[in-house]
Amino acid sequence: QVQLVESGGGLVQAGGSLRLSCTASGRTFSTYAMGWFRQAPGKEREFVAAIGRITTNKYYTDSVKGRFTISRDNAKNTVYLQMTSLEPDDTAVYYCASTTSPYSQLPYRSAYEYWGRGTQVTVSS
């Protein structure tokens, strides 16, 4: 089993920056990809970004391209989401997730086996 814990959320003004972290523990040796999703009140959980074990394999949803950067430190079993130029529409609970499959369809929720409990990001105007 793998446990994921997010941190780094908070309240920030529009245009500001935050860096989210997610650290995995447990049987992390088989982790292939890690990703970030977010869910705003009344909306479905949506894909934000993902990164493979080979860290050149990165994916972003269109709305965050150029503003968010995903990275990972495999030795620390940690994935990061650097968020800049934050907008009120970025307000959501952000969840990290991981999968052991190298052939997962990473933008889809069904690809991921393990989920953190989330961290709140609030962007005010």
Side-chain angles (χ1 to χ4, degrees):
Q1 294 293 317
V2 174
Q3 297 79 45
L4 304 174
V5 179
E6 305 96 335
S7 63
L11 191 152
V12 65
Q13 296 279 81
S17 300
L18 285 173
R19 189 178 76 158
L20 306 183
S21 300
C22 175
T23 298
S25 61
R27 297 184 178 182
T28 60
F29 58 88
S30 60
T31 299
Y32 180 75
M34 302 185 74
W36 290 95
F37 289 73
R38 65 187 182 186
Q39 187 167 19
K43 295 185 178 294
E44 295 184 353
R45 191 171 300 186
E46 65 176 353
F47 172 76
V48 177
I51 185 168
R53 182 175 291 170
I54 301 172
T55 57
T56 53
N57 295 338
K58 297 179 180 179
Y59 305 87
Y60 298 94
T61 193
D62 286 344
S63 64
V64 308
K65 287 180 179 177
R67 299 190 297 120
F68 292 9
T69 301
I70 190 169
S71 61
R72 68 187 291 179
D73 185 335
N74 290 338
K76 296 182 178 180
N77 297 310
T78 299
V79 62
Y80 305 93
L81 187 68
Q82 179 67 52
M83 306 185 293
T84 62
S85 301
L86 284 162
E87 304 168 353
D89 283 348
D90 295 318
T91 295
V93 176
Y94 283 70
Y95 299 88
C96 70
S98 69
T99 180
T100 61
S101 174
Y103 303 109
S104 298
Q105 296 175 313
L106 299 181
Y108 295 90
R109 292 168 59 187
S110 60
Y112 298 89
E113 302 165 75
Y114 304 103
W115 293 83
R117 72 174 189 86
T119 185
Q120 177 71 48
V121 172
T122 303
V123 184
S124 64
S125 59

